[in-house]
């Protein structure tokens, strides 16, 4: 069994790390991968959104299964491309078909799906460019702050939350002027939900599903959840407030109706579903769906999977997931993201990373790294994710921070308060 993982971040390193432990896999290829995945498999310089190039490596390297990490190839229809191709149709793709990836690719589609299947979510309306003036009227019916979302994929930057109506109108004008390009052809305006966020994940073969560990991520750049949004600065799992009573509500009000809705729509969803939730005074609401695993959530939830992950995804591919066993480690895992100074704005690249070999009692997942001669250098904003186990959340955080302190590169920055609110 040869497997191809698409993507290049910490999530893909975590998937590679876990699948490399499976005795059922011969070779792992990663496209394009990073310096971390290079130590566990073979990196191939291919863009996951270039489907013809992906096809070439699948045939050239005799690949038997493809796991898609990021959303862009899914939303662009990579799974459908495989199904339609006579040589590729027998190669299973772990990741939904395009019609299902719309749950992430179109906020308007996600909101209408949520509404249709009576799944708790913020009150909303959506507007296209010609009806932006009606959007201004809709704003008047909501209390501030205002949440404005570009409909399409905007690399995690398509959500704006503003304090007053004037700023909301300015924002609508900016979107109308092309701030989010095509992703902003349509906007969703919704009620602001006050609460604490939670990331919940399932893996499904389209018939049954298994609940993966939940996680909380820390999106803001600064301590105390301040400053600009980033891809994620750290994460913890499990999340203490996601107790049995809360997770029962999540299952009954959100996961089960989502699975039923997909079946009703005639969509066979094969892959991961990420429910971005808000816990509003003990009740879960859906903020967003993602058609993939989260990052940095993967760096805490994948280490907690004790079972062979290949066995689970093979169940997804074959449609017999219900008969497979998923065992979860009950210890805590936390991860701290080491980023390039200046991120999420401008930052330098190509700086040598040292100290990775000094870290112990943790797993270091690479995100923005590459190999340059005999060195490992920075190549992105999020550089390394330091994940550690602990009997308590505090123990796991202490281990992550102890190890983070061993690592250095020019202008290194990380948040020192991951888990502060739990
Ligand atoms: P998203 O890209 O949909 O995850 O949104 C980015 C962030 O905006 C979320 O992680 C939340 O912190 C925030 N957000 C999105 N929608 C809402 C909402 N309706 N109420 C409050 N915060 C929201
Ligand atoms: N950590 C949030 C995401 O992956 O979208």
């Amino acid at each position: 069994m040869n497997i191809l993982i698409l993507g290049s971040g910490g999530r893909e390193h975590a998937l590679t790390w876990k699948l490399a432990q499976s005795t059922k896999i011969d070779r792992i290829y990663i496209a394009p991968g990073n310096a971390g995945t290079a130590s566990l498999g073979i990196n191939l310089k291919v863009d996951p959104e270039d489907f013809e190039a992906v096809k070439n490596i699948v045939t050239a390297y005799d690949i038997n299964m493809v796991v898609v990490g990021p959303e862009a190839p899914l939303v662009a229809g990579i799974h459908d491309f495989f199904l339609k191709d006579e040589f590729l149709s027998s190669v299973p793709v772990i990741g939904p078909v395009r019609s299902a990836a719309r749950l992430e690719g179109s906020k308007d589609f996600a909101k209408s799906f949520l509404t249709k299947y009576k799944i708790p979510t913020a009150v909303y309306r959506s507007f296209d460019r010609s009806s932006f003036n009606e959007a201004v009227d809709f704003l008047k019916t909501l209390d501030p702050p205002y949440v404005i979302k570009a409909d399409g994929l905007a690399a995690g930057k398509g959500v704006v939350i503003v304090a007053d109506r004037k700023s909301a109108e300015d924002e609508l004008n900016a979107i109308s002027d092309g701030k989010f390009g095509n992703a902003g052809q349509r906007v969703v305006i919704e009620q602001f939900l006050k609460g604490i966020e939670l990331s919940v994940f399932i893996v499904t073969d389209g018939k049954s599903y298994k609940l993966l560990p939940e996680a909380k991520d820390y999106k803001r750049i600064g301590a105390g959840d301040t400053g600009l949004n980033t891809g994620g600065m750290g994460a913890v799992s499990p999340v203490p407030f996601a107790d049995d009573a809360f997770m029962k509500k999540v299952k009954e009000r959100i996961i089960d109706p989502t699975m039923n809705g997909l079946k009703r729509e005639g969509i066979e969803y094969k892959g991961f579903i990420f429910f971005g939730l808000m816990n509003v005074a003990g009740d879960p609401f859906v903020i967003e769906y993602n058609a993939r695993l989260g990052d940095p959530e993967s760096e805490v939830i994948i280490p907690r999977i004790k079972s062979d992950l290949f066995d689970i995804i093979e169940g997804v591919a074959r449609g017999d997931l219900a008969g497979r066993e998923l065992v979860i480690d009950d210890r805590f895992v936390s991860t701290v993201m080491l980023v390039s100074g200046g991120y999420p704005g401008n930052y330098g690249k190509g700086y040598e990373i040292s100290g990775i070999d000094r870290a112990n009692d943790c797993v270091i997942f690479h995100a923005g790294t590459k190999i340059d001669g005999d060195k490992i250098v920075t190549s992105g904003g999020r550089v390394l994710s330091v994940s550690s186990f602990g009997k308590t959340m505090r123990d796991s955080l202490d281990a992550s921070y102890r190890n983070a302190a061993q690592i250095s590169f020019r202008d290194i920055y990380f948040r020192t308060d991951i888990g502060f609110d739990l």
Side-chain angles (χ1 to χ4, degrees), residues 25 76 83 134 169 181 241 301 401 407:
I25 297 180
L83 290 175
E134 290 167 40
E169 288 172 23
F241 71 75
I301 69 174
Y401 280 119
I407 295 169

Side-chain angles (χ1 to χ4, degrees), residues 213-216 218 235-242 299-306 328-335 361-363 386-400 418-419 422:
E214 78 286 352
K216 181 162 194 309
Y218 292 81
V236 297
S237 177
V239 179
F241 71 75
E299 291 93 300
V300 294
I301 69 174
I302 291 174
R304 291 191 59 216
I305 298 174
K306 279 185 164 173
I328 304 298
D329 194 321
D330 56 16
R331 284 177 296 171
F332 282 84
V333 179
S334 65
T335 201
D361 201 19
C362 72
V363 193
V386 184
S387 295
S388 312
F389 284 96
K391 276 213 178 86
T392 63
M393 190 186 302
R394 191 67 262 163
D395 288 347
S396 73
L397 283 162
D398 286 347
S400 289
I418 299 304
L422 299 172

Side-chain angles (χ1 to χ4, degrees), residues 221 339-347 411 413:
I221 188 73
V339 308
S340 301
Y343 172 78
N346 294 331
Y347 53 83
D411 300 336
Y413 169 78

Side-chain angles (χ1 to χ4, degrees), residues 11 71 104 156 199 201 217-219 230-234 274 288 290 292-298 382:
R11 167 183 49 214
E71 63 278 13
E104 173 162 8
S199 304
F201 301 91
D217 87 332
Y218 292 81
K219 288 201 175 96
T230 70
M233 296 296 294
F274 168 166
E288 63 167 352
N290 294 309
R292 53 171 173 84
L293 289 174
D295 193 349
E297 288 94 329
S298 295
R382 294 194 291 173

